[in-house]
Amino acid sequence: MTRAGLLARLRAVLAAADIETPALDARLLVQHALGIDAAALLRAPEAEADAAAVEAALAFAARRAAGEPVARILGMREFFGLPFRLGPATLVPRPDTEIVVAAALQQLQPAQRPWRLADLGTGSGAILVALLAHLPQAWGVGVDLSQGAAGVARANARANGVAGRAAFMVGDWLDAVAGRFDAVVANPPYIAARDIAMLDREVRDHDPHLALDGGADGLDCYRNLLRTAATVLAPDGFLAFELGAGQAPEVAGIATLLGWRVETLDKDGAGIDRAMILRHDRQ
């Protein structure tokens, strides 16, 4: 079978399974099975695909047709221009979370200062590693309740050249850290427990529920952060986190009651309030 023929076959399998982007997904899976990039696929579409690659590609297609995300099959995902390895205990980093990174970087200027960062619920380490990659003098710590996630984050820091300025530990939010930080960042679990069963199967069946479940109303982790984060912030430090759709008013209300002021609120591409930055009056 030629590369083009294999690509067409996967595209047909995925289209029949009602996958939203069958052509894109098929191309990524064929490239992965063949061990080539997009340019090589375009240069030689009529080259023969060996039997092992065909078998691997068809197996990948079956997994994708059953609802497994492409990133899970590939074992990695690009985030903020950097490659991140994934694991069973990590979320797949998503474009919404890049808005949090961009918002935090706007506050962490000049970039050459030795900023101190804490990333809570670090998962794959995407937020912290992306920040450190753009802040060459900064240092940070990532905390996750899952030992598996902390290990993946540590590997991603090494792969992206920031391991010397990053530490990762297993713990429960701020209970695991001491000292003062210029920024505390987080993509906390924010799905109401009752809504998890209604999520898309790519999320519901493949993302760790520990990283999704935000309690009865989805706001438990925000309450935790807003009660405790001010105690570890340096003067003029800030808290930055991702929001679920429609949560901004409630989170802002909780924050105000606890002495925080909302400094910025950034929207995602769909116009949803997605990244909130706050500072505390006690600082």
Side-chain angles (χ1 to χ4, degrees):
M1 185 181 298
T2 66
R3 293 173 176 179
L6 182 59
L7 185 61
R9 184 164 176 183
L10 261 68
R11 188 165 56 241
V13 168
L14 299 184
D18 291 327
I19 298 300
E20 187 175 353
T21 55
L24 173 61
D25 292 5
R27 179 174 61 77
L28 293 172
L29 296 177
V30 167
Q31 288 172 204
H32 187 51
L34 293 172
I36 61 175
D37 60 17
L41 185 59
L42 286 170
R43 274 198 308 269
E46 298 308 315
E48 287 292 318
D50 64 63
V54 171
E55 183 178 354
L58 293 174
F60 294 156
R63 290 165 62 183
R64 181 68 189 108
E68 187 172 351
V70 170
R72 293 282 179 200
I73 300 170
L74 302 183
M76 65 84 61
R77 177 68 176 263
E78 183 178 296
F79 176 86
F80 222 76
L82 301 171
F84 285 86
R85 185 164 67 84
L86 306 177
T90 72
L91 290 174
V92 175
R94 294 178 171 87
D96 291 343
T97 309
E98 293 181 335
I99 298 166
V100 179
V101 174
L105 285 173
Q106 288 183 344
Q107 303 292 321
L108 294 166
Q109 296 298 323
Q112 298 297 326
R113 283 184 57 180
W115 302 105
R116 295 159 295 173
L117 316 174
D119 177 18
L120 306 181
T122 193
S124 64
I127 294 177
L128 181 60
V129 170
L131 288 172
L132 293 178
H134 288 79
L135 302 168
Q137 302 301 319
W139 177 89
V141 58
V143 179
D144 203 283
L145 201 56
S146 164
Q147 185 170 353
V152 171
R154 196 174 291 116
N156 282 325
R158 286 196 300 271
N160 286 292
V162 300
R165 296 183 287 118
F168 296 93
M169 58 188 65
V170 177
D172 189 6
W173 297 103
L174 286 167
D175 292 345
V177 301
R180 295 281 176 169
F181 298 92
D182 299 296
V184 173
V185 297
N187 176 17
Y190 56 65
I191 307 298
R194 66 183 179 276
D195 294 337
I196 291 177
M198 296 182 286
L199 295 172
D200 290 342
R201 60 179 179 170
E202 284 84 354
V203 177
R204 179 191 65 229
D205 296 341
H206 297 281
D207 276 342
H209 282 206
L210 183 65
L212 298 174
D213 191 344
D217 62 357
L219 302 178
D220 282 359
C221 292
Y222 297 111
R223 294 187 183 95
N224 183 323
L225 285 171
L226 292 166
R227 281 196 302 266
T228 59
T231 63
V232 301
L233 284 177
D236 205 33
F238 64 90
L239 172 62
F241 46 58
E242 183 173 330
L243 298 163
Q247 291 179 328
E250 289 180 275
V251 173
I254 297 168
T256 299
L257 290 174
L258 293 172
W260 295 87
R261 62 186 184 278
V262 177
E263 184 149 307
T264 65
L265 186 58
D266 291 355
K267 298 181 185 297
D268 64 17
I272 295 169
D273 291 325
R274 191 61 73 180
M276 182 178 284
I277 288 183
L278 308 99
R279 297 185 191 271
H280 201 275
D281 291 338
R282 77 173 66 170
Q283 295 170 240

